[in-house]
Amino acid sequence: MNVKEAALALWAKSGNPFHPLLAHMLDAAAVAWAVLQREPPRTRALYAEDWGLPEEAALAWAACLVGLHDLGKASPVFQAAWEEGKERVQRAGLTFGELLDWVAHGVFTELFLGKLLREKGLPERAANDLAAALGAHHGFPANAEEKKAARRHLKAEDPRWKEARGWLVEELFRKLKVSLPPLEENGEARPEAVLRVMALASFADWVASDPSLFPYGRDPLAPGYYEEALELAKKALDRLGWPAFSPAQVSEATLRKEFGKLFPYIPKPNALQEVVPSLLEGAESPVLLLVEAPMGMGKTEAALYAHHLLQAGLGHRGLYVALPTQATANGLFPRVKGFLERLEEGGRLELQLQHGTALLNPHYAELLERASPAQVWDEGKEGAAVASAWFSARKRAMLAPYGVGTLDQALLGVLRVKHHFIRLWGLMNRVVVLDEVHAYDVYTSGLLQALLKWLKALGSSAIVMTATLPPSRRRALLEAWAGEGVEGQDLGPYPRVVLVGEGVKARSLPPAREVEVALEVLREVGVEPLARRLREELPGAVGAIVNTVDRAQDLYRALGEGRRLTLGELAQVLGEAQGGETWGEVLKALPKRKDEVVGKVLPDGTLVFLLHARFPAEERALRESVALALFGKGGPRPKRAILVATQVAEQSLDLDFDLLYTDLAPVDLLFQRSGRLHRHERPRPEKHTGPKLFLGVPESLDFGKPLYWDRVYEDYVLLATWRALSGRDRLRMPGDLEALLEEVYEAEDPGRFPEGLRERARKSLERLQAQRKREEETAQKFSLSSLDRLLAYWDEGALVAQGRLEDDEEKAETQRLLTRLGDPSVAVVPLFRVGEGLFLDREGRRRAPLGEEVSREEAEALFRRAVRLSRFPLPQELLKEEPPPAWRKSGLLRGLRFLEVGRVFGSGAGAFRVELDPELGVLYRPV
């Protein structure tokens, strides 16, 4: 057998013409090289540091490793999968023998490469880790059972297969002129070095596998093949919109002039915005910046300016801003876009909105349209941001240089989900802003700590922002970055900024303003008396934040019968209420769906709106827009209006109420909610010249049925919050914050409670502590909680099916092990039965596409109607049902189920019917 001929007969891509395995290996290596050449110098330096090689040699080594990712295709199992290719391989002299069960080629890549790299002189641990990482290029490292099955195949394999593989490896090394890294005899590759190669291999394989970018059938031994592949790689990256990263440079202007250029709406930087650059001055390595400050201090602008300084000073490649919810991400997206466009001064930049319903955001949709092939880019036109379709795919969005999205999208990088390492690689050498970290539970906080460890290892800087953070949580976050040296540090009083770099530096700040909020406790918390009290507080812009969706719907109804208000009627009604004022400008930016119900108008002209998470996605997005237009910072305000909302209104939505009611909630969230009171300087109604907070606390202190507040928050925390607030008639913001946080979260002693509550508090605290322990253990178990778990944790047992999670699966166990612990839920599209058919509307005008095919337009229409539901046993039943065939083929729809409105779930006294009301959203009605 001629080894060279046998190796060249091996195929990677079937077809006529087929693509030889060596050709695909060289193509992938070329893509890796081209990608690294477009990275900023600091990224290339990280690859050089990983391997102790000069930069050019390090990049060649990384590209060569990427080229080896498909070596497992040089196996009888894979080559037999295409009959024509199998026959060609047999004619070249390789035999197949008896083939056992199918094994994925990535598993063989791991087994082959580990041995071949050791034979070339790489230390055993480094060789094995790199082999496992490259074998994982389709999303998962091989588990023990898969490797066992592959070894059974190898026992029966003709030895000439190994010779052919050896020739391929030598040819790749020769063409790329590769030098082995100088690792010690028993040395190992650092986990971050392994991850950088692991992710690059997957990315390069995606690109090199596209026949429109890399035509099949090219001869890998043709003169100049690799040089041609490099040219194809450059053209491919251009076509996909993969940019050359060139961090902006800080001008020599003064801080005031530079800041004013980037934030023209701020007359001059405040104390926080001046402290941040002074702390960052002289930073030579990635840092963690913790900003603890109340609402209204310009934390967002301080963080964006810090990104600007860090990107220029350290060569970071981009920015990702992570927020707790889709609503908060939507709210911040336009602000980040505006900042980046001013920073780039007309240049083109790639900006992605990253969460499950990003396509519904009109600002993001505009960027997608701007980046479409039909649009010709004009460097001189206003606006620099685009959103390329290639990056908008779920697993690739994190690779874009700039992004705004949910924290969940970043946390998936440290969970055992498919291609998690791609997400981490996308965050490499970037500035990552983590906003509103107070909003996360113990489990999510554990994942956040793991993420911070990885960000530091990958050369990124992190900016963590919070309004309210208990001391123990603060210490855990700082230690995740620093490792040690934080305990006992005097960080000064709140508000503060802490920098963790080579050491720890902290600066306290004067608050932007000290606000004294009048506190009035309402002991009658039923919706009828509460509705009467809210109406008595009119005229004004009144807000009510309650703890459950059912309660929000009930309170909305209790506020009175009124005429349903559509978006088209809203401007007219507001004009009448204001004596003829024009409201057209306020509504101009809202979606043009004039017949959509957005609230109601009472007989006395009072406008009432409802906002919660149980509306279909497009309706919720519209209601958020209406709320921001009417209760936000700009524009005129209705004289008589009430917004009833759940927790969706307590974070980041820039709402400003004259008076606010809130159900009792944990003290940090009460401060968040009260931050929506008198948020901006403006004229107020005579009876609301000062901010007032109504706090609902049931007379009996029973937070269970029918309120169900104990299903949302732990009973002990509610009791502790009430005890801390008892007797107060005022809250000083932010003056009272830290003392109240300490009292509620750090001094956990049931003995503080009155005798009648002591035993209840003790039992509840025990439940809470047990829950925290479970959540901490779960976060440790299912995350890359330490760097050395990158590969090892895949063999720690089948904790779920095969030990793996798909980040788009809708299985209950999958959801519970993703970024938030909680009850299982399912995303559904409510459909109405009209005659024999199912329709998106109750009138039967828009038939639901449930057959074999669904167009892109139909898929988007269905996606816009989705709503996530969790009431037991609705998810448990629907997740057992397969979605329609066409939905399974669609990336947008594969996780959705359809729900016929009126369907009954459960049995006996707990049975309920699901309804969809245009005013109230999804309702659960007892049968």
Side-chain angles (χ1 to χ4, degrees):
M1 180 192 80
N2 183 308
V3 175
K4 176 180 174 181
E5 290 181 4
L8 290 173
L10 298 170
W11 60 276
K13 308 292 179 182
S14 61
N16 187 17
F18 79 101
H19 205 44
L21 179 53
L22 177 60
H24 178 62
M25 293 167 71
L26 289 167
D27 291 347
V31 173
W33 179 270
V35 166
L36 293 175
Q37 289 300 315
R38 295 191 178 202
E39 285 292 302
R42 189 167 181 278
T43 299
R44 298 197 295 272
L46 290 172
Y47 276 85
E49 292 169 14
D50 286 342
W51 304 107
L53 289 168
E55 185 176 294
E56 288 295 302
L59 302 190
W61 167 244
C64 180
L65 289 172
V66 168
L68 293 170
H69 75 283
D70 261 355
L71 190 64
K73 289 184 175 180
S75 63
V77 175
F78 182 86
Q79 294 296 314
W82 179 41
E83 190 60 36
E84 184 179 324
K86 177 183 178 183
E87 292 172 0
R88 184 184 297 106
V89 171
Q90 286 175 318
R91 289 196 298 271
L94 292 172
T95 61
F96 285 81
E98 181 184 359
L99 295 177
L100 305 174
D101 294 338
W102 171 262
V103 177
H105 68 269
V107 184
F108 287 113
T109 291
E110 177 175 346
L111 298 185
F112 298 158
L113 263 186
K115 189 170 184 180
L116 285 166
L117 291 175
R118 291 195 300 271
E119 289 174 355
K120 290 196 71 69
L122 211 62
E124 181 175 9
R125 177 66 185 271
N128 290 345
D129 283 354
L130 284 170
L134 293 168
H137 62 275
H138 282 298
F140 291 118
N143 61 33
E145 285 300 314
E146 290 169 325
K147 286 185 276 191
K148 183 178 178 181
R151 290 190 181 99
R152 288 197 297 268
H153 280 278
L154 295 185
K155 287 180 181 179
E157 185 186 76
D158 183 335
R160 288 177 289 186
W161 284 89
K162 182 181 177 184
E163 295 178 43
R165 291 192 290 267
W167 186 89
L168 291 171
V169 173
E170 291 302 325
E171 186 67 8
L172 193 65
F173 269 68
R174 185 182 68 79
K175 284 190 177 292
L176 272 68
K177 302 180 178 62
V178 169
S179 304
L180 286 179
L183 300 179
E184 298 178 4
E185 183 177 346
N186 297 319
E188 57 187 78
R190 296 181 303 178
E192 59 269 34
V194 173
L195 182 134
R196 273 190 265 268
V197 170
M198 186 181 191
L200 183 59
S202 283
F203 174 75
D205 185 40
W206 290 344
V207 178
S209 296
D210 186 340
S212 70
L213 303 174
F214 288 84
Y216 293 173
R218 294 156 28 245
D219 179 5
L221 293 188
Y225 181 92
Y226 184 60
E227 290 70 25
E228 178 193 348
L230 286 171
E231 288 303 312
L232 289 174
K234 294 174 186 175
K235 292 178 181 177
L237 295 178
D238 288 340
R239 182 170 159 188
L240 299 178
W242 185 272
F245 293 84
S246 53
Q249 298 299 310
V250 177
S251 74
E252 296 180 359
T254 62
L255 165 63
R256 192 174 303 281
K257 182 178 179 182
E258 182 77 6
F259 190 90
K261 171 186 167 184
L262 295 174
F263 307 103
Y265 51 88
I266 297 179
K268 65 177 183 178
N270 63 21
L272 168 62
Q273 294 155 354
E274 288 184 327
V275 160
V276 165
S278 69
L279 278 174
L280 291 176
E281 189 173 353
E284 297 179 353
S285 58
V287 299
L288 169 69
L289 192 71
L290 173 64
V291 181
E292 291 183 87
M295 296 68 71
M297 284 196 68
K299 293 194 292 292
T300 298
E301 285 76 16
L304 294 176
Y305 192 64
H307 150 72
H308 173 42
L309 299 174
L310 289 166
Q311 185 182 48
L314 300 180
H316 288 312
R317 68 197 290 269
L319 168 73
Y320 183 68
V321 183
L323 295 117
T325 65
Q326 294 181 6
T328 55
N330 287 338
L332 196 57
F333 185 71
R335 291 169 65 187
V336 175
K337 171 180 172 289
F339 161 76
L340 291 172
E341 290 180 336
R342 290 188 292 273
L343 186 64
E344 291 292 324
E345 294 185 329
R348 177 183 175 120
L349 61 91
E350 184 68 42
L351 173 62
Q352 291 287 328
L353 179 61
Q354 295 171 231
H355 59 65
T357 60
L359 288 173
L360 305 184
N361 184 286
H363 301 285
Y364 180 59
E366 178 188 347
L367 298 195
L368 283 170
E369 178 66 24
R370 186 183 290 177
S372 69
Q375 299 292 321
V376 177
W377 178 254
D378 177 4
E379 291 289 349
K381 73 181 179 182
E382 182 182 353
V386 298
S388 300
W390 190 88
F391 283 107
S392 67
R394 178 171 42 84
K395 291 178 182 175
R396 299 196 290 254
M398 197 61 77
L399 302 179
Y402 298 103
V404 178
T406 56
L407 177 71
D408 298 352
Q409 297 296 316
L411 293 183
L412 287 171
V414 296
L415 281 166
R416 61 169 77 212
V417 297
K418 195 172 185 179
H419 286 118
H420 73 93
F421 44 88
I422 288 281
R423 296 175 186 270
L424 277 180
W425 185 60
L427 292 173
M428 170 189 66
N429 189 23
R430 281 168 83 176
V431 177
V432 180
V433 178
L434 305 165
D435 197 5
E436 304 204 35
V437 297
H438 49 273
Y440 306 125
D441 58 20
V442 172
Y443 171 74
T444 307
S445 295
L447 302 185
L448 177 57
Q449 291 164 41
L451 178 64
L452 287 173
K453 293 175 186 177
W454 274 101
L455 290 177
K456 182 180 182 182
L458 291 170
S460 304
S461 289
I463 301 172
V464 178
M465 301 196 296
T466 178
T468 54
L469 198 65
S472 57
R473 187 75 58 83
R474 178 192 312 117
R475 186 170 57 252
L477 292 175
L478 294 176
E479 288 178 350
W481 189 275
E484 55 185 20
V486 177
E487 186 74 39
Q489 286 268 359
D490 181 11
L491 303 179
Y494 177 93
R496 65 176 73 85
V497 183
V498 182
L499 180 78
V500 184
E502 297 302 323
V504 178
K505 295 190 289 186
R507 300 273 183 86
S508 289
L509 303 164
R513 59 178 184 143
E514 184 81 26
V515 178
E516 190 170 84
V517 176
L519 179 65
E520 182 176 339
V521 177
L522 305 185
R523 304 309 296 263
E524 290 188 86
V525 297
V527 294
E528 294 294 342
L530 177 56
R532 285 195 298 272
R533 187 62 193 273
L534 293 178
R535 288 196 301 268
E536 289 170 3
E537 296 300 320
L538 296 169
V542 175
I545 300 180
V546 297
N547 290 340
T548 67
V549 175
D550 289 350
R551 181 165 164 80
Q553 292 170 330
D554 291 342
L555 178 57
Y556 177 87
R557 279 185 291 226
L559 283 165
E561 294 293 326
R563 179 168 56 84
R564 283 181 175 175
L565 187 64
T566 65
L567 183 62
E569 296 169 323
L570 183 56
Q572 178 182 351
V573 171
L574 286 170
E576 292 170 356
Q578 294 294 307
E581 267 188 51
T582 300
W583 281 76
E585 291 299 315
V586 177
L587 305 175
K588 186 177 290 184
L590 298 182
K592 296 178 174 60
R593 299 199 302 275
K594 293 184 177 180
D595 59 343
E596 203 71 61
V597 176
V598 294
K600 64 184 175 182
V601 56
L602 304 183
D604 64 357
T606 300
L607 304 176
V608 185
F609 303 95
L610 178 63
L611 179 61
H612 57 69
R614 246 165 42 201
F615 285 103
E618 62 183 350
E619 293 179 25
R620 175 176 169 180
L622 177 60
R623 286 168 178 268
E624 285 176 4
S625 298
V626 169
L628 285 169
L630 303 185
F631 299 92
K633 183 176 183 179
R637 286 159 70 84
K639 288 184 177 178
R640 300 176 63 88
I642 301 173
L643 174 67
V644 179
T646 58
Q647 292 86 345
V648 298
E650 77 187 11
Q651 298 165 14
S652 279
L653 287 181
D654 190 6
L655 302 174
D656 176 10
F657 299 110
D658 298 326
L659 172 96
L660 179 67
Y661 165 84
T662 173
D663 287 342
L664 180 66
V667 66
D668 48 332
L669 300 185
L670 290 182
F671 270 83
Q672 278 293 107
R673 295 177 185 186
S674 60
R676 273 67 199 156
L677 263 173
H678 290 228
R679 191 176 176 90
H680 302 296
E681 293 294 332
R682 58 168 24 113
R684 304 283 173 180
E686 184 177 350
K687 64 193 304 185
H688 299 306
T689 53
K692 177 181 281 191
L693 181 70
F694 286 166
L695 177 63
V697 183
E699 189 70 47
S700 62
L701 293 184
D702 182 357
F703 308 129
K705 188 177 180 180
L707 295 176
Y708 295 109
W709 295 356
D710 59 349
R711 294 279 192 90
V712 183
Y713 307 113
E714 178 56 50
D715 191 48
Y716 176 83
V717 178
L718 293 177
L719 288 173
T721 297
W722 171 234
R723 182 187 179 281
L725 295 176
S726 291
R728 289 176 177 259
D729 61 2
R730 309 234 160 236
L731 283 177
R732 291 182 305 115
M733 299 173 57
D736 291 336
L737 177 59
E738 283 215 293
L740 286 169
L741 286 173
E742 289 264 6
E743 185 173 351
V744 172
Y745 287 107
E746 305 298 319
E748 293 184 334
D749 176 16
R752 300 177 301 152
F753 289 88
E755 187 174 350
L757 291 175
R758 202 167 296 155
E759 182 62 15
R760 174 180 163 189
R762 183 188 65 78
K763 291 180 179 179
S764 179
L765 179 59
E766 288 177 354
R767 288 195 305 270
L768 177 60
Q769 291 171 336
Q771 175 187 329
R772 287 174 179 166
K773 184 177 180 181
R774 287 194 303 271
E775 290 187 9
E776 288 171 0
E777 292 172 348
T778 304
Q780 288 277 329
K781 185 181 293 185
F782 291 105
S783 71
L784 279 68
S785 53
S786 60
L787 271 60
D788 58 7
R789 298 191 71 192
L790 174 63
L791 297 168
Y793 80 116
W794 294 95
D795 283 331
E796 292 176 359
L799 298 170
V800 292
Q802 299 183 344
R804 299 169 175 176
L805 297 172
E806 289 278 6
D807 60 349
D808 59 348
E809 280 184 339
E810 291 296 315
K811 297 176 182 176
E813 64 269 26
T814 299
Q815 289 187 33
R816 286 186 60 79
L817 300 178
L818 289 178
T819 58
R820 311 285 174 108
L821 288 183
D823 294 331
S825 64
V826 60
V828 306
V829 179
L831 300 179
F832 297 90
R833 182 165 294 281
V834 181
E836 297 299 315
L838 289 171
F839 295 81
L840 289 168
D841 61 307
R842 64 183 71 247
E843 293 79 17
R845 292 191 296 262
R846 301 164 64 197
R847 184 177 288 273
L850 303 176
E852 295 295 328
E853 298 295 332
V854 57
S855 68
R856 178 71 184 185
E857 293 75 18
E858 289 173 326
E860 288 190 9
L862 288 165
F863 186 71
R864 292 173 186 277
R865 298 299 300 162
V867 57
R868 185 166 289 277
L869 304 177
S870 60
R871 177 71 61 91
F872 178 86
L874 190 151
Q876 290 77 1
E877 291 190 23
L878 288 182
L879 289 172
K880 294 176 184 176
E881 302 173 5
E882 287 292 326
W887 295 21
R888 293 198 296 270
K889 300 174 189 175
S890 167
L892 275 179
L893 305 180
R894 69 167 66 103
L896 305 182
R897 302 294 189 275
F898 75 79
L899 169 64
E900 184 174 340
V901 172
R903 180 170 169 176
V904 174
F905 292 88
S907 59
F912 61 91
R913 175 180 290 104
V914 180
E915 301 290 352
L916 179 59
D917 185 273
E919 269 190 271
L920 301 171
V922 173
L923 292 164
Y924 302 129
R925 296 193 185 278
V927 176

Short mmCIF file of all heavy atoms in Angstrom, two decimals, residues 702-729:
data_model
loop_
_atom_site.label_atom_id
_atom_site.label_comp_id
_atom_site.label_asym_id
_atom_site.label_seq_id
_atom_site.Cartn_x
_atom_site.Cartn_y
_atom_site.Cartn_z
N ASP A 702 -49.38 36.72 57.13
CA ASP A 702 -49.48 35.44 56.43
C ASP A 702 -49.21 35.70 54.95
O ASP A 702 -50.01 36.33 54.27
CB ASP A 702 -50.88 34.84 56.62
CG ASP A 702 -51.01 33.47 55.95
OD1 ASP A 702 -50.04 33.03 55.31
OD2 ASP A 702 -52.08 32.85 56.09
N PHE A 703 -48.07 35.20 54.47
CA PHE A 703 -47.66 35.45 53.09
C PHE A 703 -48.03 34.29 52.16
O PHE A 703 -47.62 34.27 51.00
CB PHE A 703 -46.15 35.70 53.02
CG PHE A 703 -45.67 36.76 53.96
CD1 PHE A 703 -44.61 36.52 54.82
CD2 PHE A 703 -46.29 38.00 54.01
CE1 PHE A 703 -44.16 37.49 55.70
CE2 PHE A 703 -45.85 38.98 54.88
CZ PHE A 703 -44.78 38.73 55.74
N GLY A 704 -48.77 33.32 52.69
CA GLY A 704 -49.14 32.15 51.89
C GLY A 704 -50.43 32.38 51.14
O GLY A 704 -50.77 33.51 50.75
N LYS A 705 -51.19 31.31 50.93
CA LYS A 705 -52.44 31.38 50.18
C LYS A 705 -53.40 32.35 50.87
O LYS A 705 -53.49 32.35 52.08
CB LYS A 705 -53.05 29.98 50.14
CG LYS A 705 -54.26 29.85 49.25
CD LYS A 705 -54.73 28.40 49.21
CE LYS A 705 -55.95 28.25 48.31
NZ LYS A 705 -56.43 26.85 48.24
N PRO A 706 -54.08 33.27 50.16
CA PRO A 706 -54.19 33.38 48.69
C PRO A 706 -53.17 34.32 48.06
O PRO A 706 -53.21 34.53 46.85
CB PRO A 706 -55.59 33.95 48.51
CG PRO A 706 -55.75 34.87 49.69
CD PRO A 706 -55.03 34.19 50.83
N LEU A 707 -52.22 34.90 48.87
CA LEU A 707 -51.25 35.82 48.29
C LEU A 707 -50.15 35.08 47.52
O LEU A 707 -49.68 35.54 46.48
CB LEU A 707 -50.61 36.67 49.40
CG LEU A 707 -51.53 37.63 50.14
CD1 LEU A 707 -50.76 38.34 51.25
CD2 LEU A 707 -52.12 38.66 49.17
N TYR A 708 -49.69 33.96 48.09
CA TYR A 708 -48.62 33.16 47.49
C TYR A 708 -47.30 33.92 47.40
O TYR A 708 -46.44 33.59 46.58
CB TYR A 708 -49.01 32.62 46.10
CG TYR A 708 -50.16 31.65 46.13
CD1 TYR A 708 -51.40 32.01 45.64
CD2 TYR A 708 -50.00 30.37 46.67
CE1 TYR A 708 -52.48 31.13 45.67
CE2 TYR A 708 -51.06 29.47 46.70
CZ TYR A 708 -52.30 29.85 46.20
OH TYR A 708 -53.34 28.97 46.23
N TRP A 709 -47.11 34.94 48.27
CA TRP A 709 -45.83 35.64 48.25
C TRP A 709 -44.69 34.72 48.69
O TRP A 709 -43.54 34.92 48.27
CB TRP A 709 -45.87 36.87 49.17
CG TRP A 709 -46.85 37.91 48.72
CD1 TRP A 709 -47.60 37.91 47.57
CD2 TRP A 709 -47.19 39.12 49.41
NE1 TRP A 709 -48.38 39.03 47.50
CE2 TRP A 709 -48.15 39.80 48.61
CE3 TRP A 709 -46.78 39.70 50.60
CZ2 TRP A 709 -48.70 41.03 48.99
CZ3 TRP A 709 -47.32 40.92 50.99
CH2 TRP A 709 -48.27 41.57 50.19
N ASP A 710 -45.01 33.72 49.52
CA ASP A 710 -43.96 32.80 49.97
C ASP A 710 -43.52 31.84 48.88
O ASP A 710 -42.54 31.11 49.03
CB ASP A 710 -44.42 32.02 51.21
CG ASP A 710 -45.67 31.20 50.95
OD1 ASP A 710 -46.31 31.38 49.90
OD2 ASP A 710 -46.00 30.35 51.81
N ARG A 711 -44.25 31.81 47.75
CA ARG A 711 -43.80 31.04 46.59
C ARG A 711 -42.77 31.83 45.78
O ARG A 711 -42.01 31.28 45.01
CB ARG A 711 -44.98 30.71 45.67
CG ARG A 711 -46.01 29.78 46.27
CD ARG A 711 -45.55 28.33 46.16
NE ARG A 711 -46.63 27.42 46.46
CZ ARG A 711 -47.48 26.94 45.56
NH1 ARG A 711 -47.37 27.31 44.30
NH2 ARG A 711 -48.42 26.09 45.92
N VAL A 712 -42.79 33.14 45.96
CA VAL A 712 -41.89 34.01 45.21
C VAL A 712 -40.64 34.32 46.03
O VAL A 712 -39.52 34.30 45.51
CB VAL A 712 -42.62 35.32 44.84
CG1 VAL A 712 -41.72 36.21 43.98
CG2 VAL A 712 -43.92 35.03 44.12
N TYR A 713 -40.81 34.59 47.33
CA TYR A 713 -39.70 34.94 48.21
C TYR A 713 -39.77 34.07 49.46
O TYR A 713 -40.85 33.72 49.92
CB TYR A 713 -39.76 36.42 48.61
CG TYR A 713 -39.86 37.36 47.43
CD1 TYR A 713 -41.01 38.11 47.20
CD2 TYR A 713 -38.80 37.51 46.54
CE1 TYR A 713 -41.11 38.98 46.12
CE2 TYR A 713 -38.89 38.36 45.45
CZ TYR A 713 -40.04 39.09 45.25
OH TYR A 713 -40.13 39.93 44.17
N GLU A 714 -38.62 33.78 50.03
CA GLU A 714 -38.59 32.97 51.24
C GLU A 714 -39.26 33.71 52.40
O GLU A 714 -39.03 34.91 52.61
CB GLU A 714 -37.14 32.62 51.59
CG GLU A 714 -36.98 31.81 52.86
CD GLU A 714 -37.78 30.51 52.84
OE1 GLU A 714 -37.68 29.76 51.85
OE2 GLU A 714 -38.52 30.25 53.82
N ASP A 715 -40.08 32.98 53.13
CA ASP A 715 -40.84 33.54 54.25
C ASP A 715 -39.93 34.29 55.22
O ASP A 715 -40.25 35.39 55.68
CB ASP A 715 -41.57 32.39 54.95
CG ASP A 715 -42.59 32.89 55.96
OD1 ASP A 715 -43.38 33.78 55.62
OD2 ASP A 715 -42.60 32.38 57.10
N TYR A 716 -38.75 33.73 55.53
CA TYR A 716 -37.86 34.35 56.50
C TYR A 716 -37.40 35.73 56.04
O TYR A 716 -37.34 36.69 56.83
CB TYR A 716 -36.63 33.47 56.76
CG TYR A 716 -35.64 34.13 57.68
CD1 TYR A 716 -35.81 34.06 59.06
CD2 TYR A 716 -34.56 34.86 57.19
CE1 TYR A 716 -34.92 34.71 59.92
CE2 TYR A 716 -33.67 35.50 58.03
CZ TYR A 716 -33.86 35.42 59.40
OH TYR A 716 -33.00 36.06 60.25
N VAL A 717 -37.06 35.87 54.77
CA VAL A 717 -36.58 37.16 54.26
C VAL A 717 -37.69 38.21 54.33
O VAL A 717 -37.43 39.37 54.65
CB VAL A 717 -36.03 37.01 52.83
CG1 VAL A 717 -35.58 38.36 52.29
CG2 VAL A 717 -34.88 36.03 52.79
N LEU A 718 -38.92 37.81 54.04
CA LEU A 718 -40.03 38.75 54.16
C LEU A 718 -40.23 39.17 55.61
O LEU A 718 -40.43 40.35 55.91
CB LEU A 718 -41.31 38.14 53.59
CG LEU A 718 -41.32 37.88 52.09
CD1 LEU A 718 -42.63 37.20 51.68
CD2 LEU A 718 -41.13 39.18 51.30
N LEU A 719 -40.18 38.19 56.52
CA LEU A 719 -40.32 38.51 57.94
C LEU A 719 -39.19 39.42 58.42
O LEU A 719 -39.41 40.39 59.15
CB LEU A 719 -40.34 37.22 58.76
CG LEU A 719 -41.60 36.35 58.67
CD1 LEU A 719 -41.39 35.04 59.42
CD2 LEU A 719 -42.82 37.09 59.23
N ALA A 720 -37.97 39.12 58.00
CA ALA A 720 -36.82 39.91 58.42
C ALA A 720 -36.90 41.33 57.87
O ALA A 720 -36.55 42.31 58.54
CB ALA A 720 -35.52 39.24 57.98
N THR A 721 -37.37 41.46 56.64
CA THR A 721 -37.53 42.79 56.04
C THR A 721 -38.58 43.59 56.80
O THR A 721 -38.38 44.77 57.12
CB THR A 721 -37.94 42.66 54.56
OG1 THR A 721 -36.88 42.01 53.84
CG2 THR A 721 -38.21 44.02 53.95
N TRP A 722 -39.71 42.94 57.11
CA TRP A 722 -40.76 43.64 57.84
C TRP A 722 -40.28 44.04 59.23
O TRP A 722 -40.54 45.17 59.69
CB TRP A 722 -42.01 42.77 57.93
CG TRP A 722 -43.07 43.33 58.85
CD1 TRP A 722 -43.66 42.70 59.90
CD2 TRP A 722 -43.64 44.64 58.80
NE1 TRP A 722 -44.57 43.53 60.50
CE2 TRP A 722 -44.58 44.74 59.84
CE3 TRP A 722 -43.44 45.74 57.96
CZ2 TRP A 722 -45.31 45.89 60.07
CZ3 TRP A 722 -44.17 46.90 58.21
CH2 TRP A 722 -45.10 46.96 59.26
N ARG A 723 -39.55 43.17 59.89
CA ARG A 723 -39.03 43.52 61.21
C ARG A 723 -38.09 44.72 61.12
O ARG A 723 -38.11 45.62 61.96
CB ARG A 723 -38.28 42.33 61.81
CG ARG A 723 -37.75 42.60 63.22
CD ARG A 723 -36.88 41.47 63.71
NE ARG A 723 -36.38 41.77 65.05
CZ ARG A 723 -35.36 42.59 65.31
NH1 ARG A 723 -34.75 43.22 64.31
NH2 ARG A 723 -34.97 42.81 66.56
N ALA A 724 -37.24 44.76 60.08
CA ALA A 724 -36.29 45.86 59.93
C ALA A 724 -36.98 47.19 59.63
O ALA A 724 -36.49 48.26 60.00
CB ALA A 724 -35.29 45.53 58.82
N LEU A 725 -38.14 47.11 58.96
CA LEU A 725 -38.84 48.34 58.58
C LEU A 725 -39.89 48.77 59.59
O LEU A 725 -40.40 49.90 59.50
CB LEU A 725 -39.51 48.15 57.21
CG LEU A 725 -38.58 47.94 56.02
CD1 LEU A 725 -39.39 47.69 54.76
CD2 LEU A 725 -37.66 49.14 55.83
N SER A 726 -40.26 47.89 60.51
CA SER A 726 -41.33 48.21 61.47
C SER A 726 -41.00 49.49 62.24
O SER A 726 -39.88 49.68 62.73
CB SER A 726 -41.50 47.04 62.45
OG SER A 726 -42.03 45.93 61.78
N GLY A 727 -42.01 50.32 62.37
CA GLY A 727 -41.85 51.56 63.12
C GLY A 727 -41.29 52.71 62.30
O GLY A 727 -41.25 53.85 62.78
N ARG A 728 -40.83 52.46 61.10
CA ARG A 728 -40.28 53.54 60.27
C ARG A 728 -41.41 54.24 59.51
O ARG A 728 -42.32 53.59 59.02
CB ARG A 728 -39.28 52.99 59.24
CG ARG A 728 -37.96 52.53 59.83
CD ARG A 728 -37.10 51.93 58.72
NE ARG A 728 -35.79 51.53 59.19
CZ ARG A 728 -34.68 52.24 59.01
NH1 ARG A 728 -34.73 53.39 58.37
NH2 ARG A 728 -33.52 51.80 59.47
N ASP A 729 -41.29 55.53 59.38
CA ASP A 729 -42.21 56.26 58.51
C ASP A 729 -41.45 56.96 57.39
O ASP A 729 -42.02 57.67 56.58
CB ASP A 729 -43.04 57.28 59.28
CG ASP A 729 -42.18 58.35 59.95
OD1 ASP A 729 -40.93 58.31 59.78
OD2 ASP A 729 -42.75 59.23 60.62
#
